[in-house]
Amino acid sequence: MTRRLDFFYDTLLEFQTPVTDHEFVLSCVPPSFPGQEIDVTDFTVEPGAKLSRQLDPFGNLLFYGCVPTPHTSFHYQVKGRAVIDHSKSDGEGLMPFYKYQSKYTKPSSEMLAFLRGLVLPSGTIERAWALAEAIYDYLTYLPGSTGTATKAEEAFSMRQGVCQDYAHIFLSLAREAGLTARYVSGLPEGSGETHAWCEVYADGKWVGIDPTRLKMTDEGYIRIGVGRDFGDCPMERGVFHGVTDQDVKVYMQVSEQ
């Protein structure tokens, strides 16, 4: 089913004291590929900076820039339209490293014991869904309980986390269960913060599964980045001169056109 969506994504970083020579990389603009057509109507970065554009090895769209002058805030915003139709997706090449554990997904002995206790079906999608159900039942969604540096084994031990943690735990168990799986960041239909989910490789295609919401992803999801884990596709990363604390505010909205 074809969905036509309007999307809006806004991030504000506020620094307590001025910083300078702020070099940044943004991965906040959804790319176009078979099954997802993107028309960006507005993309702004403040303070203004000259941006260079390239694709990374995972196929993510990156924008590089630098703000050399002193500033106490950094703001970027993207608006656009998306046409999503999964029936038009083609077979993407399979990168072997999606089969193996990565920095955020290395399982603990506790996680391996949990996996051994599950009775999993043989089919790829059926197995992925059974894992998602087990994780959904095991964890409690609790905003603020973890951070971007939290690894799968830490969130699993606490039995709580946010979408990033659900995704990392799913990836860890899925890879141990013989599945090829990757991390996805993007914008789901609705409003609030950005979201993370997973995709498993089945029959020559990537199939989306959202362990946080316990659903297969549909045309209400707009993909921005993919990777082995969160570390491969954060929305923003950067370095600057200055000693300061910073506060981050994020808001996104996706709605039917």
Side-chain angles (χ1 to χ4, degrees):
M1 179 182 70
T2 300
R3 296 287 305 279
R4 300 179 184 276
L5 306 171
D6 290 318
F7 66 88
F8 171 77
Y9 174 57
D10 183 277
T11 295
L12 173 66
L13 282 73
E14 295 179 307
F15 307 105
Q16 288 190 354
T17 58
V19 301
T20 61
D21 300 318
H22 182 180
E23 298 186 5
F24 60 87
V25 181
L26 301 180
S27 177
C28 59
V29 178
S32 292
F33 51 84
Q36 175 171 294
E37 297 179 16
I38 300 296
D39 176 24
V40 175
T41 58
D42 184 55
F43 178 34
T44 57
V45 177
E46 298 175 340
K50 182 179 180 181
L51 300 177
S52 58
R53 165 179 168 163
Q54 72 175 56
L55 294 178
D56 72 4
F58 300 96
N60 300 322
L61 183 58
L62 305 182
F63 291 87
Y64 295 81
C66 179
V67 180
T69 55
H71 54 287
T72 56
S73 66
F74 180 68
H75 181 215
Y76 55 96
Q77 183 182 98
V78 59
K79 299 178 183 178
R81 304 184 183 95
V83 179
I84 313 295
D85 187 345
H86 290 175
S87 69
K88 296 181 179 179
S89 301
D90 62 2
E92 295 182 51
L94 175 62
M95 296 182 180
F97 49 68
Y98 288 130
K99 297 179 179 181
Y100 307 108
Q101 302 296 0
S102 53
K103 177 181 177 181
Y104 285 87
T105 70
K106 184 178 178 181
S108 62
S109 57
E110 183 183 14
M111 295 174 67
L112 295 176
F114 177 83
L115 180 62
R116 288 194 296 269
L118 301 178
V119 178
L120 299 176
S122 58
T124 298
I125 299 303
E126 294 79 8
R127 177 167 292 207
W129 182 254
L131 286 172
E133 285 185 314
I135 293 166
Y136 184 83
D137 291 339
Y138 183 80
L139 296 177
T140 298
Y141 186 86
L142 186 61
S145 60
T146 58
T148 56
T150 304
K151 297 180 180 178
E153 58 182 323
E154 298 168 319
F156 188 88
S157 178
M158 294 187 293
R159 298 193 64 168
Q160 60 191 25
V162 294
C163 59
Q164 175 181 304
D165 306 297
Y166 280 71
H168 284 154
I169 292 170
F170 176 87
L171 292 174
S172 179
L173 297 181
R175 290 166 181 167
E176 288 296 322
L179 302 180
T180 301
R182 66 184 183 184
Y183 185 96
V184 187
S185 62
L187 311 175
E189 188 171 11
S191 60
E193 296 188 349
T194 55
H195 194 48
W197 60 94
C198 302
E199 290 178 342
V200 295
Y201 199 73
D203 299 324
K205 290 186 177 182
W206 289 103
V207 179
I209 188 166
D210 185 347
T212 309
R213 301 179 177 184
L214 193 58
K215 63 177 293 187
M216 306 299 291
T217 62
D218 55 23
E219 283 81 0
Y221 287 72
I222 299 175
R223 193 180 94 188
I224 292 181
V226 297
R228 295 163 298 179
D229 55 33
F230 166 79
D232 289 333
C233 51
M235 299 286 193
E236 180 268 339
R237 67 180 81 190
V239 295
F240 50 75
H241 286 160
V243 179
T244 184
D245 291 329
Q246 67 182 43
D247 180 55
V248 182
K249 298 176 182 177
V250 176
Y251 179 76
M252 66 109 243
Q253 184 173 32
V254 175
S255 58
E256 194 87 38
Q257 282 184 17

